[in-house]
Amino acid sequence: MIKLDFLKFAWRYILAIIVVIVLIRILVYPERTKINEYRERLSISHSVTKASINSITHRKTKIFYEFMVNGVKYSGISRYTLLNPPYPQKGDSIDVYYSEDDPNVNLWSGEFTE
């Protein structure tokens, strides 16, 4: 009887882990796809401006920033890795690459590897 209870528990535990992994992939994948698309577009042609970080979230690896182009305020979201210090902080001024055709297509310059 104890062996059967353990197998039920193990099965539920494994199923819960699988569900969590699938949910994470569903929620994170669209954002990564968008970042990859923007990275590709901006690697062809971009302009650079200064932006101000107004928020850092998601285990402090996602930055939200705002910048101005021709008097219009735009915002963006980028990621950074904890493997490459120094880490951006709220209020920091950062370089942002943006498309001259559509400044809504923008990424923090740290999204590009050297």
Side-chain angles (χ1 to χ4, degrees):
M1 189 59 101
I2 293 175
K3 187 175 183 181
L4 184 60
D5 287 341
F6 176 75
L7 289 175
K8 285 182 181 178
F9 172 78
W11 174 247
R12 288 181 181 159
Y13 186 75
I14 291 170
L15 186 60
I17 290 173
I18 291 170
V19 167
V20 168
I21 289 171
V22 168
L23 286 174
I24 289 171
R25 297 289 278 166
I26 289 171
L27 296 174
V28 173
Y29 184 75
E31 180 180 289
R32 287 188 179 169
T33 301
K34 180 177 141 183
I35 287 173
N36 288 337
E37 175 191 330
Y38 283 10
R39 189 179 291 135
E40 186 177 317
R41 287 179 64 182
L42 294 171
S43 67
I44 296 167
S45 172
H46 65 266
S47 292
V48 180
T49 190
K50 291 289 186 187
S52 176
I53 298 176
N54 57 15
S55 179
I56 299 176
T57 61
H58 196 260
R59 294 189 208 146
K60 298 188 177 188
T61 60
K62 188 187 296 185
I63 58 174
F64 297 82
Y65 52 84
E66 293 181 339
F67 61 98
M68 300 282 283
V69 174
N70 298 326
V72 179
K73 186 186 287 189
Y74 294 92
S75 61
I77 303 170
S78 288
R79 294 186 161 278
Y80 67 95
T81 177
L82 294 174
L83 300 175
N84 295 331
Y87 312 122
Q89 301 293 319
K90 183 176 178 177
D92 283 356
S93 178
I94 58 173
D95 287 332
V96 172
Y97 295 168
Y98 69 94
S99 168
E100 289 184 7
D101 298 333
D102 182 6
N104 289 304
V105 175
N106 61 75
L107 289 174
W108 168 49
S109 61
E111 283 277 357
F112 293 84
T113 54
E114 298 295 324

